[in-house]
Amino acid sequence: MIISILSLFLYIVRIYSFVLIAYALLSWFPGAYQTKIGEWIINLSRPYLSLFDRLNLSFGPIDFTIIVAIFALNIFSEVISKILIGLLY
């Protein structure tokens, strides 16, 4: 039971990481945020990314917020994985 929950959790984290990467890539294409897919990606990404906006991770024209957000998400998922695996043993 815990293994299937862990697998589902890690799968969702992986998918969400790809959504965040897609959000970053959309900035390379003019007008991409105004498409239906762009709006969908924004609606999924902005609530999580807004947690990191206070950190002011922009250095010149480069914004590292998404990179830090992806690292934080993966570290959080690793911690949760270790906790769940620890419950098994």
Side-chain angles (χ1 to χ4, degrees):
M1 177 69 177
I2 292 179
I3 296 294
S4 60
I5 292 171
L6 179 61
S7 296
L8 178 63
F9 174 72
L10 292 175
Y11 181 73
I12 291 170
V13 167
R14 188 177 314 132
I15 297 273
Y16 196 71
S17 294
F18 285 125
V19 169
L20 293 174
I21 292 169
Y23 178 84
L25 293 176
L26 285 178
S27 67
W28 294 359
F29 302 102
Y33 287 127
Q34 287 76 31
T35 64
K36 287 290 183 188
I37 293 174
E39 290 174 3
W40 181 75
I41 290 173
I42 288 171
N43 289 336
L44 285 175
S45 302
R46 283 312 305 161
Y48 178 65
L49 291 175
S50 67
L51 299 172
F52 297 91
D53 285 341
R54 294 183 294 253
L55 299 177
N56 193 17
L57 298 169
S58 296
F59 300 103
I62 301 172
D63 187 10
F64 292 100
T65 303
I66 295 173
I67 294 170
V68 171
I70 291 171
F71 282 144
L73 181 65
N74 287 317
I75 289 170
F76 175 73
S77 70
E78 286 294 320
V79 169
I80 295 298
S81 298
K82 302 261 189 235
I83 290 171
L84 288 176
I85 290 173
L87 290 175
L88 288 174
Y89 300 108

